[in-house]
Amino acid sequence: MRRVVRQSKFRHVFGQAVKNDQCYDDIRVSRVTWDSAFCAVNPKFVAIIIEASGGGAFLVLPLHKTGRIDKSYPTVCGHTGPVLDIEWCPHNDQVIASGSEDCTVMVWQIPENGLVTAMSEPVVVLEGHSKRVGIITWHPTARNVLLSAGCDNQIIIWNVGTGEAMINLEDMHPDVIYNVCWNRNGSLICTSCKDKGIRVIDPRKETIIAEKEKAHEGARPMRAIFLSDGNVLTTGFSRMSERQLALWNTSNMDEPMTVNEMDTSNGVLLPFYDPDTNVVYLCGKGDSSIRYFEITDEAPYVHFLSTFATKEPQRGMGYMPKRGLDVNKCEIARFYKLHERKCEPIVMTVPRKSDLFQDDLYPDTAGPDPALEAEDWFDGKNGDPISISLKNGYVPGKNREFKVVKKNILDSKVTKNSENSSPANKSASPTPSIGRLLAVFLRWFVDDVQPTL
């Protein structure tokens, strides 16, 4: 007999919102009309973009600082325009990057125990975009490599360690870029664009490897992400404004491997992917639910698992990296859902009777150590993520202090020195140098002549 229900260890995954005292309350979440997550999480901090008068700001809270957040709590507030996107560095839990309407990207080093006073001085300011910067994403395996995309339709890849723009991808996107995603080892990126196309790009060769025009027929924003096997998963809208989920093989993008139609809501679906379990979570902006799907190698490839639903719509969503989860409770994902005035953690759990470590739920996952330095990656090398075991839980190591050695600062010092030794400066004070010469000559003359007298 044919089985009606497909077997899967994730079929009974259930979501649960934490109690009120474990939420972050009284936060003025940003009202900017931009389709980013507005929230970034790592094993130490949760960062949330907030409403701020006279510029852009975001909160950085230690995970344990739950409850009501005081209005005078210090913020990160160096941008002169609203902040549109933030992302924690995967290799240093105290470093976060932010992109803003003021056309700049800023990188910040957060103190180990969180902010004590407002922070307005970033470690480095990256200037190169001519319009607002709405997308920020760190390289998954190379240290200090950061990608930014702006409304000027260009993508810039920075070496944050030197503050330089190393790669500038212009003329590849004729319209606004909706999102950019690295593949597992960071050798390729995939993008979705307002022209309804998705592109797979080799950023170092500055070439488009694969492209699909009109991946989704609808006019509303799309999202495209890489899966661990190299396929691309997209979310978008049909011509009838139905929300869709599609899977593409990058070696042949004429037709999708599969297309799933979901509903007719108009919120943009933000996909969050777990490469260890091959589960994709879809969080719609303005929705009150999180849907999750399992991706497999055999048709129909995308299998619906379940839906977690609440009453309140979500303004944004943060997604905890695997190393920040509680393995003793069989927690396979944790979301930080933004309401209008609060942030509510939601825990996804696989029900298991045993208290032992579940190897099948927690294969070795990407750790915080980079596989490459920035210079190696720009020179053409690739490196897979360095994996760690979660068997005894994740123990954070000591983060190195983030330092930037700006190339142009050294250049300016050289020019200053050359200015000081220029003829104009020499002629401005000739007397001391002539006097010094005379003194040296007299001393030499006296020492030389004295014995013969």
Side-chain angles (χ1 to χ4, degrees), residues 164 406-418:
E164 288 178 292
K406 272 207 162 185
K407 290 284 171 73
N408 51 356
I409 288 178
L410 296 173
D411 294 345
S412 63
K413 280 182 182 170
V414 170
T415 51
K416 273 183 188 166
N417 290 341
S418 61

Side-chain angles (χ1 to χ4, degrees), residues 163-183:
E164 288 178 292
M166 303 295 287
I167 297 170
N168 196 332
L169 304 178
E170 297 176 292
D171 307 327
M172 287 190 179
H173 300 87
D175 215 323
V176 175
I177 301 162
Y178 285 141
N179 88 303
V180 183
C181 176
W182 296 95
N183 67 348

Side-chain angles (χ1 to χ4, degrees), residues 213-262:
E213 296 175 5
K214 294 197 176 176
H216 295 273
E217 295 281 345
R220 292 190 57 74
M222 303 189 305
R223 287 287 184 276
I225 58 168
F226 265 116
L227 304 182
S228 53
D229 58 5
N231 291 335
V232 170
L233 182 130
T234 61
T235 63
F237 293 80
S238 70
R239 190 175 288 150
M240 306 301 290
S241 290
E242 284 185 306
R243 293 200 289 194
Q244 294 178 322
L245 173 72
L247 193 64
W248 306 83
N249 185 334
T250 50
S251 54
N252 178 15
M253 295 183 80
D254 294 337
E255 291 295 323
M257 294 162 69
T258 180
V259 177
N260 284 28
E261 307 242 326
M262 279 174 286

Side-chain angles (χ1 to χ4, degrees), residues 80-183:
T80 55
V83 177
L84 300 178
D85 197 16
I86 49 176
E87 187 170 270
W88 288 103
C89 175
H91 309 126
N92 188 331
D93 286 341
Q94 285 163 236
V95 172
I96 188 168
S98 57
S100 163
E101 279 193 13
D102 64 10
C103 309
T104 64
V105 177
M106 293 186 180
V107 180
W108 312 82
Q109 170 118 24
I110 306 300
E112 190 150 357
N113 299 316
L115 297 176
V116 182
T117 57
M119 183 178 274
S120 58
E121 288 295 318
V123 181
V124 64
V125 180
L126 306 173
E127 295 175 319
H129 288 283
S130 57
K131 290 188 179 175
R132 59 185 181 167
V133 183
I135 299 164
I136 296 286
T137 175
W138 290 91
H139 193 285
T141 61
R143 193 199 309 275
N144 291 349
V145 176
L146 178 66
L147 180 150
S148 64
C151 292
D152 51 5
N153 309 343
Q154 62 178 328
I155 293 171
I156 300 178
I157 301 178
W158 309 84
N159 182 346
V160 180
T162 60
E164 288 178 292
M166 303 295 287
I167 297 170
N168 196 332
L169 304 178
E170 297 176 292
D171 307 327
M172 287 190 179
H173 300 87
D175 215 323
V176 175
I177 301 162
Y178 285 141
N179 88 303
V180 183
C181 176
W182 296 95
N183 67 348

Side-chain angles (χ1 to χ4, degrees), residues 174-226:
D175 215 323
V176 175
I177 301 162
Y178 285 141
N179 88 303
V180 183
C181 176
W182 296 95
N183 67 348
R184 187 101 166 109
N185 69 355
S187 58
L188 301 172
I189 56 173
C190 71
T191 66
S192 62
C193 179
K194 196 175 180 179
D195 69 349
K196 302 181 186 177
I198 53 174
R199 295 166 176 82
V200 177
I201 299 169
D202 185 328
R204 289 170 295 191
K205 291 180 182 168
E206 301 188 16
T207 53
I208 296 173
I209 289 177
E211 187 173 3
K212 173 64 181 174
E213 296 175 5
K214 294 197 176 176
H216 295 273
E217 295 281 345
R220 292 190 57 74
M222 303 189 305
R223 287 287 184 276
I225 58 168
F226 265 116

